Amino acid sequence: MTPPRSLHGFAVLFLLLAGSTWSCRPEDSSIRFQVACVEWADPSAPASQVQVTLEEQRLENGVLNGFYTEVDQAVTDADGVVELTTVRSNVLSIRLRGAREGCFEELVPLNPEDLTSGGTLNHHEVAVMPQTRVEASLSNSLPECTNSNMIYRWIPRDVEGAASEVRWSCGTDWVAVEGGGTDQSTCFITGDTWLLHHRYWACAGLDSTAIDSVWCPAGEVVSLNL
């Protein structure tokens, strides 16, 4: 039995409308991240209690926002993994910020053009580096050097097998301390590393070098009076 012409036309119209609706469905522009945080000295160990923040710069009304804005945030559990989400529209720059008490802050810049949208996860890893605070006081108080400078420098030691080089916030150049003077400095170094200090005097009746080192336990404060 042939269906009525009117019903046949209705069926064709329904299929056309359904196809049109499907083709006009907006593309999923979400950018999803899965971030794995690991310990710097042992990349096979997950890092827990790391606050991971997704930040971005957007073009708003044709104007670039000069500051990074937080768009998503999560704290890692024992597995060291979090998932974060944003949308692609008008995003010009994206970065991940990893922070944990007693550690250096980590910034991972990302290029939006290299990121996939929709249901695909963008996988990234952040290595969290522990730090030690060093409070140092260096005095040039030798009577023989009242009119001459003492010079000193720091020599952070790399950790064998670590993921990257040791960080040291005060630099490694020679610094001069005039006779009778004292130099104060507060710096941060990668935790669980050795810090060497090298001092040198060259003045009347004295030509001397002093080299020593100090162990910097992660998360602690080391006080030096030299």
Side-chain angles (χ1 to χ4, degrees):
M1 178 178 178
T2 303
R5 187 180 301 273
S6 58
L7 291 178
H8 178 75
F10 178 78
V12 172
L13 179 61
F14 174 79
L15 291 174
L16 289 174
L17 290 175
S20 175
T21 301
W22 177 263
S23 63
C24 293
R25 180 176 296 174
E27 181 183 355
D28 185 357
S29 62
S30 63
I31 306 177
R32 299 174 58 206
F33 297 87
Q34 186 177 80
V35 184
C37 294
V38 298
E39 300 293 348
W40 172 79
D42 182 7
S44 65
S48 61
Q49 298 302 307
V50 180
Q51 180 176 285
V52 184
T53 304
L54 181 62
E55 301 175 334
E56 62 185 29
Q57 287 180 308
R58 285 184 177 273
L59 195 64
E60 299 177 355
N61 298 322
V63 179
L64 173 64
N65 184 353
F67 300 94
Y68 277 90
T69 302
E70 175 188 325
V71 292
D72 202 359
Q73 185 183 95
V75 178
T76 61
D77 57 12
D79 295 328
V81 176
V82 296
E83 291 191 7
L84 306 171
T85 306
T86 187
V87 293
R88 183 177 293 279
S89 177
N90 294 329
V91 174
L92 299 182
S93 181
I94 296 180
R95 70 184 182 186
L96 296 169
R97 180 188 298 271
R100 184 172 69 180
E101 185 176 358
C103 296
F104 285 98
E105 188 175 74
E106 307 294 337
L107 289 176
V108 181
L110 304 171
N111 184 349
E113 295 183 1
D114 297 333
L115 303 173
T116 58
S117 302
T120 304
L121 286 172
N122 295 274
H123 296 273
H124 295 278
E125 185 176 275
V126 177
V128 182
M129 180 185 290
Q131 66 180 7
T132 299
R133 177 172 174 152
V134 179
E135 297 179 348
S137 176
L138 295 102
S139 299
N140 185 9
S141 56
L142 294 176
E144 301 92 332
C145 296
T146 53
N147 296 319
S148 301
N149 289 346
M150 173 193 75
I151 58 175
Y152 74 90
R153 63 173 177 169
W154 305 107
I155 311 173
R157 294 283 298 275
D158 290 348
V159 178
E160 183 177 356
S164 59
E165 294 182 354
V166 169
R167 293 183 193 171
W168 170 246
S169 65
C170 275
T172 56
D173 294 335
W174 287 101
V175 178
V177 181
E178 62 183 13
T182 300
D183 189 63
Q184 306 276 354
S185 64
T186 298
C187 304
F188 292 92
I189 190 173
T190 304
D192 292 339
T193 58
W194 287 98
L195 174 63
L196 277 68
H197 41 88
H198 183 185
R199 291 174 292 158
Y200 176 75
W201 299 265
C203 38
L206 179 67
D207 186 357
S208 180
T209 295
I211 300 178
D212 204 346
S213 60
V214 59
W215 176 249
C216 300
E220 297 189 14
V221 178
V222 172
S223 296
L224 288 174
N225 292 292
L226 304 172

